[in-house]
Amino acid sequence: MENALPLLIRTATPNDAGIIAQIDVDSMRPAYSGILPKSYLAKLSVREHKKNWKKRLKETETFVLVAENAEREVLGYAYAGRTRKQDPIYAGEIYRIYIHPSHQRRGVGRSLMRVAAERLAAEGIDSLLIWVLAANPARKFYEALGGKLVRSVMTEVAGLSLEGVAYGWTDTRILRL
């Protein structure tokens, strides 16, 4: 991890929809290059993502955290809540976590995972899952945080049938340290 940054992790507000959308597009293009079609990645729209985030930020059963640096620049986000599908082992889920490429490998993702795990634990949720495409190099990040490969399913993304894998933590104390 290069130069850890001093960060403020806070709950996102509707005013953050635009920057979260920008981080989505700026992060997804390099993360999924060579995995998803170039045409699909080229069509990613900040405007469309912003519309979706405005809706998500109004949800009451989920939460979105943003990480800011000392200049109040949003560097990344985590979107989390209860698992989308009832699971006998994992009660919580990180639905999405993206860090702007210019701020990766500086502790931003680790900090967001820690605070998300703390927030879920405060709601009585001490286990969690995160789904990722099997071909995504971010898998190493989840493994480094102690996540165990626990599920695998085929999923359709951009017209392709791709393997999705879930990493799980049966006890999130490891993330909350």
Side-chain angles (χ1 to χ4, degrees), residues 87-159:
D87 190 286
I89 300 170
Y90 303 97
E93 183 173 352
I94 304 288
Y95 311 125
R96 297 173 78 115
I97 181 170
Y98 283 108
I99 313 308
H100 193 276
S102 63
H103 297 289
Q104 293 176 357
R105 301 193 177 284
R106 295 184 180 174
V108 178
R110 182 177 294 269
S111 294
L112 283 164
M113 290 288 288
R114 178 181 50 77
V115 176
E118 289 170 355
R119 175 104 174 244
L120 289 166
E123 296 176 21
I125 300 170
D126 294 315
S127 60
L128 71 84
L129 281 175
I130 188 163
W131 285 92
V132 62
L133 290 178
N136 189 330
R139 290 177 61 169
K140 292 181 178 119
F141 169 70
Y142 306 121
E143 292 166 1
L145 292 177
K148 304 292 183 219
L149 183 62
V150 296
R151 308 263 192 286
S152 173
V153 297
M154 294 308 289
T155 186
E156 188 166 317
V157 182

Side-chain angles (χ1 to χ4, degrees), residues 5 7-8 27 45 48 50 57 75 82 147-148 156 164:
L5 299 168
L7 297 172
L8 167 69
S27 301
S45 161
E48 288 302 312
K50 184 176 179 179
L57 289 167
L75 312 176
R82 293 194 175 275
K148 304 292 183 219
E156 188 166 317

